Amino acid sequence: MNIKILDSWLREYLKTKAGAKTIADLLSLTSVSVERLEKYGKNDLTYDIEVTTNRPDLMSVVGLAREAAAVLQQFGNQAEFIPPQISKPQKVKEKLVINIKNNPKLVGRITTIIMSVDLKQSPQYIKDRLETGSIRSINNVIDVTNYVMREIGHPAHVFDYDRLTTKALIIRESKKGESIVTLDNKEHILGGGDIVADDGFGKIIDLLSVMGTQNSVVTDKTKRILFFIDNCDQDRIRKTSMSLNIRSEAAVLNEKGVDPEMAMDAMLRGIELFQEIANGKLLSDIIDIYPNKPPLKRIEVSGEAINSIIGIKIPLKTSENILKKLGFGVVVKTNTLTITIPSFRNKDMEIPEDVVEEIARIYGYHKLPSILPPLYSAENYHLAKDIFYWEKRIKESLKYWGFTEVYTYSMVSENLLEGPTEQAVAIENPLTEDFAYLRKTLVPSLLQATRDNPGRNEVRIFELANIYIPRSKDLPKEILMLAGIIKKQKISFLEVKGIAEQLLNEVGIKDISFEKGDKGGLEINIKLGSEVLGNIEMLNEDIADFELNFELIEKYANLTKIYNSIPKYPPIIEDLNIIIDPNITYEKICSFIKSQSSLINDVSLIDTYKNTKTFRIKYQDPQKTLTNEGVSKIREKLLQNLKQKFPQK
Amino acid sequence: MQIKNSAVSMIIDAADEKELEEIKLQFLGKSGKLTLALKEITKVPIERRAAVGSLANDVKKTIEETIKNHESRIMNQESKTRTEKLDITAPGIKPAIGHLHLITQAVEEISEIFRHIGFTRVRYPEVEWDKYAFEDLNFPKNHPARDDWETFFIKQDPDPKKGPMILTPHTSSGQIREMERKNPPIRMLNIAKCYRRQSDVSHSPMFHQFEGLVVDKNISIAHLKGTLDYFVKSYFGEDRRSRIRPYHFQFTEPSFEVDVSCGMCKGHGCKLCKEGWLEMGGSGMVHPNVLRNGGIDPKEFTGFAFGWGVERVLMMKEGIKIDDLRFLYSSNLNFLEQF
């Protein structure tokens, strides 16, 4: 939440010689962040302050003045907080009537009074103060409610007393489907459970703490008002405000939990202002319905606890002074502080740590030393079991092979899910239908990414991300997958296969095999033993993809180094042209050739032309230098056996 | 002698390797002049043969040497002309290279920095139970983050003990997971995808956070400050400063907002920053309830935690002004290939 206030307003409750810049800097370091300090008019300045949601008490001039006084004093500045002191008005003799029936479950406190007013424009200083705070000045009566909210910190409302024809306000929960028209002339259908005021005949005449309704608010004919301050259940207010999308200043503040004690301060200050600027006259006594007065809270904290959390020794006296300046009651006994919580801090002070926070921040976080935590022991570390190590290695390999990494969304549309929706993890409240399911494969997202880059003849992209497989009564299984796309003219399967092989080779996974899948088309499974590590799909002439289960890769990845002794004797290498039926696979021929002699050390295919395949064969004997005669014997036997094994048609 | 002179002059005149080769053939080849002349030697009277022979050999040697010298001269000349013709400003022929995503690069750098001070990197579920994301982190039942305006819920019945299934909105859900995984001392770095129901120029519904958690005996605010300073100086540079100021989170007490001095104005205040400071993210001392929920006795151990956006620190560091954060997830290669 942000609040913008004028320096001159703050100084009505803060007596100090410190400049605005000093106030802003010290508040930022110890309390609320002053995001901007800007000149306003000739002699004034605006503070733009971010207030955290646990401190609604600081969404007011008075609250900030109290806080600033404590902070300024701590850092050696003369400063004094001047609390608002307004006496209760005299009782009136002739009273107008209003019947209020409260529901304490919904509203913790109501203070209200009936007054006569003269409607007109507000004086300039009120307009200035509201408008710097981004509140539009409307007329003096409405302006008083907003002024009080900003100054004291409690939202306030005003009804046209004469428009409340039944003179009754029954506080109740709304029923589902009831409709209202708010003061901005918008119709809303209520969801039920909203806090509303009923006129006793079923007509809703206010949406409490969120926004007034059109049928009861002040108009330009208003003569008599019901000044009304309600302290409602904060959770209901948030629900109403969010579901109706009415984010009024009052609602935003009320849903944070405003101190009910402030309701009376706001009431008295409001009355004073009506008298000052609207010729206000009392037509009733103040009615104060206060069923839920919060109990007084106490917290104990020891000197040791303070020192050990903060990290340096803070004298108890210092802690005591800081807490007192902030409005806490403090009793010191031996080494323990007993703190009484003021009502405006009732909601955010629970445990000793909360007290330590108050001491530490006002003492000054910037005055504490910076020390790295000592490391007494460490977990054992195994590089080969570090999935992040393998991730980095794989990603870098792909990068150096020309692949660019993309990050696409885990959430996909039904279209990109490519599967039955009932078998996918579905989002209950998606932002759009494009993000309705969690994906079960990365490939469709990558294909989309490829389509999103039209006009490129070649695309090589990859992604490493989770897929999500639903499980009954358990979190979905998240599996890290590595997927890539290659788009280029006439992409060959062998090129994609080579990438898969080299990737696995890079992480020490050898002896993989490739097997045609049963999906039809060109889907090829990549296997290690009987386990499928992933697959390659030849989608069309120009696009191929691969997707590998990274968890399995990590499982089998290893840093094992195998040493093969360097041969002492030179090999003989020769190329053999073999005319053979093209349906016989490379692998079959190769393993057959190898099986012919232990001296055949390596076989590779170097060329294929029609039915002729050229194999390069390396003969090597670890014991001696091979002779041409030795090799020719092997060769002759090999050629003969080849002919027998794979006869020509 | 005639042969020698004519050969040498021809050789000197030869302009390139090819010509030289021809000359070689002409004199020294099978039917070359010198070869033929040597065959004639039989016609010379026997007593003069030795002298003629040695002369012929001298001639052969001279021709060969001249050819050799001239050959290397020609070669030098040719390579010189090649160098002169070379346009060294023309583009080089580069090996194919791709690009790692900015997020990967940032994650790598952050991991390295924390690894140096003993943090162990982990990763926990993205689809998470309410228990880990909220309940055990001390979020009140009615906290706004728990409603379906801010967090993505999964279509599945809630678990009786662990509550609804959600997409984790922060890496803090790893805190309880880590406490379940091991006893103190804990030094965790959890970097993961997070999801929030928000999509505009500065919010992507999917983003990345990195979460630090330290739990040990006597861990204090001073230790948190030390760790922050170390990270800020390592990641952003030696001249950058960090500060903590009061903030509010459910799962830490006290809680802090962490600021880094603005790199643009060096902390003097400019349009990019707030009075000289840039907000980096939240941190705080682990709330005793959170330690308790993680099975750790808060009387014996204390800890600190921080959770920051990877995208945020990345932008803050590089000064990259991306108009729309969602651009990071757009797969636009013209963008990705810049890094």
Side-chain angles (χ1 to χ4, degrees):
Chain A
M1 304 179 277
N2 273 58
I3 179 171
K4 281 187 190 174
I5 60 162
L6 285 178
D7 185 50
S8 56
W9 199 356
L10 182 69
R11 287 176 196 271
E12 284 183 10
Y13 296 97
L14 174 69
K15 208 171 127 191
T16 183
K17 287 200 174 106
K21 176 81 175 127
T22 306
I23 296 174
D25 287 349
L26 287 178
L27 278 177
S28 289
L29 279 175
T30 60
S31 174
V32 285
S33 168
V34 180
E35 297 185 337
R36 297 241 180 275
L37 181 63
E38 278 166 351
K39 267 191 106 74
Y40 181 80
K42 271 187 190 154
N43 305 314
D44 217 341
L45 290 146
T46 315
Y47 301 89
D48 185 352
I49 302 173
E50 189 201 8
V51 178
T52 52
T53 54
N54 62 324
R55 293 297 305 273
D57 63 299
L58 295 183
M59 282 294 284
S60 68
V61 175
V62 169
L64 286 168
R66 184 194 297 115
E67 188 88 356
V71 172
L72 286 165
Q73 289 168 29
Q74 178 67 23
F75 290 91
N77 297 279
Q78 287 267 331
E80 195 190 337
F81 169 55
I82 308 153
Q85 270 162 1
I86 315 149
S87 50
K88 288 206 174 178
Q90 300 270 311
K91 297 263 180 196
V92 290
K93 282 171 194 157
E94 284 180 48
K95 292 171 195 160
L96 293 178
V97 188
I98 186 80
N99 294 310
I100 297 172
K101 197 178 154 207
N102 185 33
N103 178 345
K105 271 192 197 157
L106 307 178
V107 186
R109 186 176 192 179
I110 293 172
T111 61
T112 189
I113 194 165
I114 306 160
M115 293 179 82
S116 69
V117 288
D118 293 347
L119 217 65
K120 55 186 175 197
Q121 291 285 299
S122 287
Q124 195 56 42
Y125 83 93
I126 295 229
K127 285 188 180 178
D128 287 349
R129 287 176 177 186
L130 289 181
E131 277 165 10
T132 45
S134 318
I135 296 174
R136 202 156 54 89
S137 166
I138 295 166
N139 57 47
N140 56 352
V141 172
I142 306 278
D143 287 359
V144 166
T145 62
N146 286 324
Y147 191 89
V148 163
M149 172 172 72
R150 271 285 185 272
E151 188 174 79
I152 307 292
H154 201 304
H157 182 57
V158 62
F159 292 99
D160 182 325
Y161 177 73
D162 295 300
R163 296 182 73 200
L164 301 172
T165 47
T166 64
K167 308 297 174 215
L169 290 172
I170 318 290
I171 308 301
R172 66 163 168 90
E173 280 182 66
S174 73
K175 290 173 225 123
K176 193 178 166 154
E178 281 186 293
S179 86
I180 56 163
V181 178
T182 44
L183 58 86
D184 52 0
N185 264 328
K186 284 185 186 147
E187 194 183 348
H188 299 274
I189 311 293
L190 302 181
D194 311 281
I195 306 172
V196 296
D198 186 309
D199 69 349
F201 293 89
K203 188 166 88 178
I204 295 176
I205 49 175
D206 191 35
L207 186 60
L208 266 69
S209 281
V210 177
M211 191 176 265
T213 54
Q214 215 242 343
N215 56 11
S216 65
V217 293
V218 170
T219 69
D220 42 8
K221 295 187 190 87
T222 298
K223 296 272 187 275
R224 296 190 292 186
I225 56 165
L226 179 72
F227 180 41
F228 188 85
I229 298 177
D230 48 297
N231 193 280
C232 291
D233 176 63
Q234 62 188 93
D235 301 336
R236 284 182 193 262
I237 296 308
R238 171 159 173 92
K239 195 164 164 269
T240 300
S241 161
M242 289 302 284
S243 60
L244 300 180
N245 198 20
I246 307 176
R247 302 298 288 153
S248 62
E249 290 263 342
V252 169
L253 202 48
N254 280 321
E255 72 181 22
K256 307 291 184 303
V258 181
D259 173 20
E261 288 294 308
M262 285 199 282
M264 187 52 78
D265 295 342
M267 173 68 17
L268 297 177
R269 179 68 173 131
I271 293 169
E272 188 180 64
L273 282 164
F274 284 125
Q275 288 168 335
E276 259 176 52
I277 67 166
N279 193 29
K281 301 263 178 348
L282 305 180
L283 300 177
S284 79
D285 294 333
I286 296 174
I287 300 167
D288 185 9
I289 304 165
Y290 197 0
N292 302 349
K293 191 177 163 75
L296 209 59
K297 236 193 249 179
R298 285 200 177 81
I299 300 174
E300 274 191 8
V301 59
S302 70
E304 286 86 33
I306 297 169
N307 296 342
S308 99
I309 296 172
I310 296 178
I312 55 165
K313 202 167 167 355
I314 309 251
L316 269 194
K317 189 76 201 153
T318 307
S319 299
E320 184 190 352
N321 282 340
I322 288 172
L323 291 168
K324 279 184 171 163
K325 278 177 218 156
L326 290 171
F328 295 91
V330 186
V331 177
V332 189
K333 213 166 152 192
T334 58
N335 198 23
T336 301
L337 301 177
T338 304
I339 321 292
T340 315
I341 312 300
S343 66
F344 57 87
R345 298 299 305 277
N346 196 48
K347 286 209 163 107
D348 81 305
M349 299 294 294
E350 302 279 351
I351 54 172
E353 282 75 5
D354 291 317
V355 180
V356 176
E357 174 168 44
E358 296 304 298
I359 298 164
R361 69 182 177 92
I362 303 295
Y363 180 84
Y365 291 141
H366 58 291
K367 283 160 66 185
L368 304 182
S370 290
I371 308 164
L372 277 173
L375 184 64
Y376 298 114
S377 67
E379 266 181 274
N380 293 334
Y381 178 76
H382 306 284
L383 189 62
K385 288 179 192 160
D386 182 355
I387 188 164
F388 302 107
Y389 166 75
W390 295 115
E391 263 183 32
K392 183 178 172 189
R393 205 158 151 169
I394 288 272
K395 282 185 174 185
E396 282 188 346
S397 299
L398 284 167
K399 169 188 158 178
Y400 289 117
W401 298 340
F403 283 81
T404 292
E405 186 185 18
V406 298
Y407 274 59
T408 58
Y409 289 104
S410 313
M411 309 83 87
V412 292
S413 62
E414 186 177 344
N415 190 26
L416 283 193
L417 181 67
E418 287 194 352
T421 56
E422 62 275 12
Q423 284 170 32
V425 180
I427 296 170
E428 183 84 51
N429 55 337
L431 265 177
T432 68
E433 287 309 307
D434 285 343
F435 293 147
Y437 300 95
L438 296 184
R439 58 186 167 177
K440 295 173 82 176
T441 159
L442 308 184
V443 172
S445 308
L446 292 184
L447 287 172
Q448 183 60 48
T450 310
R451 284 193 292 276
D452 289 344
N453 285 282
R456 281 178 182 249
N457 293 328
E458 279 203 38
V459 173
R460 284 163 186 266
I461 51 173
F462 78 96
E463 179 167 17
L464 183 74
N466 277 332
I467 59 165
Y468 310 82
I469 312 298
R471 290 187 289 201
S472 88
K473 294 187 179 173
D474 201 357
L475 295 174
K477 173 135 182 64
E478 294 175 20
I479 308 171
L480 199 57
M481 301 296 278
L482 173 73
I485 296 269
I486 304 168
K487 176 189 163 190
K488 68 181 263 198
Q489 275 180 1
K490 301 231 159 54
I491 171 87
S492 91
F493 166 70
L494 295 183
E495 194 175 333
V496 192
K497 178 180 173 179
I499 289 163
E501 285 176 319
Q502 205 69 308
L503 264 183
L504 295 167
N505 204 23
E506 172 67 15
V507 299
I509 301 177
K510 304 199 163 70
D511 301 323
I512 51 164
S513 61
F514 293 80
E515 202 171 82
K516 282 193 181 161
D518 39 34
K519 257 203 248 168
L522 264 180
E523 190 218 11
I524 294 97
N525 289 328
I526 306 165
K527 293 176 80 173
L528 180 68
S530 60
E531 201 155 15
V532 177
L533 299 184
N535 65 20
I536 292 172
E537 288 178 306
M538 305 302 292
L539 296 174
N540 61 38
E541 270 207 328
D542 305 330
I543 295 187
D545 70 73
F546 61 87
E547 187 164 36
L548 290 155
N549 181 324
F550 201 81
E551 272 181 18
L552 292 178
I553 293 182
E554 194 247 340
K555 183 174 156 194
Y556 295 114
N558 63 80
L559 294 165
T560 313
K561 274 114 188 141
I562 299 164
Y563 167 68
N564 289 312
S565 58
I566 311 290
K568 279 188 196 142
Y569 301 98
I572 291 183
I573 295 168
E574 60 179 19
D575 294 348
L576 286 184
N577 287 331
I578 299 167
I579 300 169
I580 201 160
D581 179 353
N583 290 323
I584 298 164
T585 62
Y586 160 80
E587 199 179 15
K588 272 189 189 158
I589 306 169
C590 228
S591 58
F592 181 77
I593 296 175
K594 268 190 197 165
S595 71
Q596 295 305 303
S597 163
S598 61
L599 298 182
I600 297 179
N601 176 306
D602 192 31
V603 183
S604 56
L605 178 70
I606 56 168
D607 196 18
T608 304
Y609 178 72
K610 290 187 178 163
N611 284 358
T612 307
K613 284 190 165 74
T614 307
F615 284 92
R616 179 158 293 170
I617 297 172
K618 190 170 149 194
Y619 306 88
Q620 193 155 38
D621 188 331
Q623 307 302 330
K624 60 178 194 287
T625 304
L626 277 173
T627 59
N628 279 335
E629 289 88 64
V631 167
S632 71
K633 265 187 202 160
I634 304 171
R635 184 199 311 123
E636 270 160 34
K637 182 185 154 211
L638 162 66
L639 290 174
Q640 209 170 13
N641 290 348
L642 262 174
K643 255 184 210 163
Q644 271 180 10
K645 172 90 178 172
F646 308 115
Q648 282 289 302
K649 278 175 198 165
Chain B
M1 278 315 282
Q2 242 183 354
I3 294 173
K4 180 179 151 188
N5 289 342
S6 73
V8 168
S9 73
M10 277 173 83
I11 291 165
I12 289 169
D13 287 345
D16 55 31
E17 274 178 275
K18 210 174 151 196
E19 245 176 82
L20 212 55
E21 196 56 34
E22 271 166 23
I23 297 165
K24 215 171 170 178
L25 276 172
Q26 207 180 327
F27 290 91
L28 305 176
K30 268 186 183 169
S31 46
K33 281 183 188 165
L34 187 65
T35 320
L36 293 178
L38 280 172
K39 279 182 186 165
E40 297 281 299
I41 211 159
T42 46
K43 292 178 188 163
V44 175
I46 217 140
E47 60 276 18
R48 284 192 59 209
R49 272 188 206 168
V52 174
S54 101
L55 179 72
N57 274 332
D58 278 355
V59 171
K60 191 180 174 190
K61 217 172 163 186
T62 311
I63 294 175
E64 277 173 350
E65 267 169 25
T66 315
I67 288 178
K68 209 172 161 196
N69 286 343
H70 198 66
E71 217 168 38
S72 67
R73 209 165 56 234
I74 287 174
M75 297 266 276
N76 279 341
Q77 259 171 12
E78 279 183 357
S79 77
K80 212 172 158 192
T81 22
R82 265 207 301 277
T83 327
E84 274 161 9
K85 277 186 199 155
L86 193 63
D87 178 2
I88 55 161
T89 66
I93 300 159
K94 301 180 192 80
I97 193 161
H99 304 264
L100 292 183
H101 197 277
L102 274 175
I103 295 291
T104 294
Q105 295 184 43
V107 165
E108 206 47 62
E109 198 173 341
I110 293 162
S111 308
E112 270 311 305
I113 289 171
F114 282 104
R115 183 205 293 272
H116 277 80
I117 50 169
F119 280 67
T120 299
R121 192 171 158 199
V122 296
R123 186 161 46 203
Y124 289 115
E126 293 170 30
V127 184
E128 194 41 294
W129 297 112
D130 174 277
K131 168 184 156 72
Y132 292 100
F134 296 123
E135 183 68 30
D136 283 0
L137 292 180
N138 201 40
F139 278 70
K141 281 267 180 279
N142 44 36
H143 191 276
R146 283 172 101 157
D147 65 35
D148 55 8
W149 287 288
E150 294 190 10
T151 295
F152 288 112
F153 283 76
I154 301 298
K155 255 186 215 166
Q156 183 139 348
D157 293 334
D159 182 90
K161 285 196 187 119
K162 297 171 192 157
M165 204 182 273
I166 56 162
L167 282 178
T168 193
H170 50 206
T171 40
S172 306
S173 44
Q175 291 188 16
I176 298 286
R177 293 248 175 219
E178 181 75 355
M179 292 180 206
E180 285 178 355
R181 183 179 76 88
K182 77 185 289 285
N183 293 322
I186 288 173
R187 274 184 200 220
M188 171 196 85
L189 181 69
N190 177 26
I191 311 183
K193 287 194 167 103
C194 302
Y195 304 85
R196 284 185 200 172
R197 231 176 143 270
Q198 224 175 345
S199 184
D200 55 49
V201 292
S202 49
H203 297 93
S204 165
M206 178 181 90
F207 58 99
H208 294 77
Q209 278 194 341
F210 61 109
E211 180 99 5
L213 174 71
V214 171
V215 181
D216 206 341
K217 286 185 174 151
N218 300 316
I219 293 295
S220 71
I221 300 174
H223 293 133
L224 168 62
K225 281 190 70 179
T227 308
L228 286 181
D229 269 344
Y230 164 79
F231 174 72
V232 165
K233 287 197 167 12
S234 305
Y235 185 75
F236 293 105
E238 294 293 336
D239 59 333
R240 304 290 280 272
R241 288 166 295 128
S242 70
R243 71 172 187 187
I244 56 172
R245 52 185 174 79
Y247 212 73
H248 172 63
F249 301 105
Q250 296 297 338
F251 40 109
T252 48
E253 192 65 56
S255 302
F256 320 105
E257 178 76 26
V258 180
D259 291 344
V260 179
S261 62
C262 177
M264 212 61 161
C265 63
K266 306 283 171 218
H268 297 297
C270 67
K271 277 184 181 172
L272 276 181
C273 63
K274 290 172 179 168
E275 306 289 327
W277 295 93
L278 296 163
E279 283 172 18
M280 185 159 72
S283 69
M285 304 304 291
V286 182
H287 196 289
N289 289 351
V290 175
L291 289 172
R292 233 171 263 129
N293 292 336
I296 292 171
D297 181 2
K299 287 204 185 81
E300 196 182 345
F301 295 101
T302 48
F304 67 77
F306 55 84
W308 303 321
V310 174
E311 289 82 353
R312 178 154 190 88
V313 296
L314 176 72
M315 302 286 168
M316 277 168 67
K317 180 183 185 185
E318 308 293 353
I320 302 168
K321 277 212 75 168
I322 299 178
D323 306 327
D324 189 334
L325 192 75
R326 293 168 296 187
F327 209 55
L328 283 169
Y329 302 108
S330 71
S331 311
N332 185 325
L333 288 173
N334 294 331
F335 170 72
L336 297 172
E337 284 170 357
Q338 292 176 28
F339 308 104

